[in-house]
Amino acid sequence: MTSRTTQTVVRFSSPFRLPGFDKAQPAGEYRIDYDEELIEGVSRLAWMRVGAFIHLPAIGAQSSTQQMMAILPSDLETALETDHQQL
């Protein structure tokens, strides 16, 4: 099966927490990697997200360590919606 990884940057205006995180993460911009697989048998190219990863800490934050954590895309969308409603 053909797969690809796409990247995007999301912005949180307030601290946020995702399931599986030990603590809230600070507001800022975060890089997200989406793993996608090609859906076969359609008349045009279509991709299905099969995984998502967030890079910690936020872009521009000073840290001696960096990590990439698996997250559910639905959890990320919920956290972003909550953040935008707080504005």
Side-chain angles (χ1 to χ4, degrees):
M1 177 162 279
T2 303
S3 63
R4 70 179 184 184
T5 300
T6 59
Q7 297 178 348
T8 190
V9 174
V10 298
R11 178 163 185 44
F12 285 95
S13 299
S14 303
F16 69 98
R17 178 173 285 183
L18 292 170
F21 283 36
D22 293 338
K23 60 181 181 174
Q25 299 300 309
E29 293 183 334
Y30 290 82
R31 192 174 95 195
I32 308 294
D33 291 347
Y34 290 108
D35 287 345
E36 301 170 322
E37 291 181 349
L38 182 64
I39 299 173
E40 308 244 0
V42 295
S43 59
R44 56 184 171 190
L45 287 179
W47 297 88
M48 176 177 63
R49 287 186 177 159
V50 295
F53 301 88
I54 188 168
H55 292 257
L56 301 175
I59 296 170
Q62 299 298 320
S63 176
S64 60
T65 62
Q66 295 209 350
Q67 67 185 91
M68 188 169 71
M69 293 189 59
I71 57 172
L72 292 175
S74 58
D75 290 339
L76 176 62
E77 291 301 319
T78 299
L80 286 167
E81 286 176 19
T82 301
D83 184 67
H84 289 118
Q85 290 173 358
Q86 293 175 2
L87 294 178

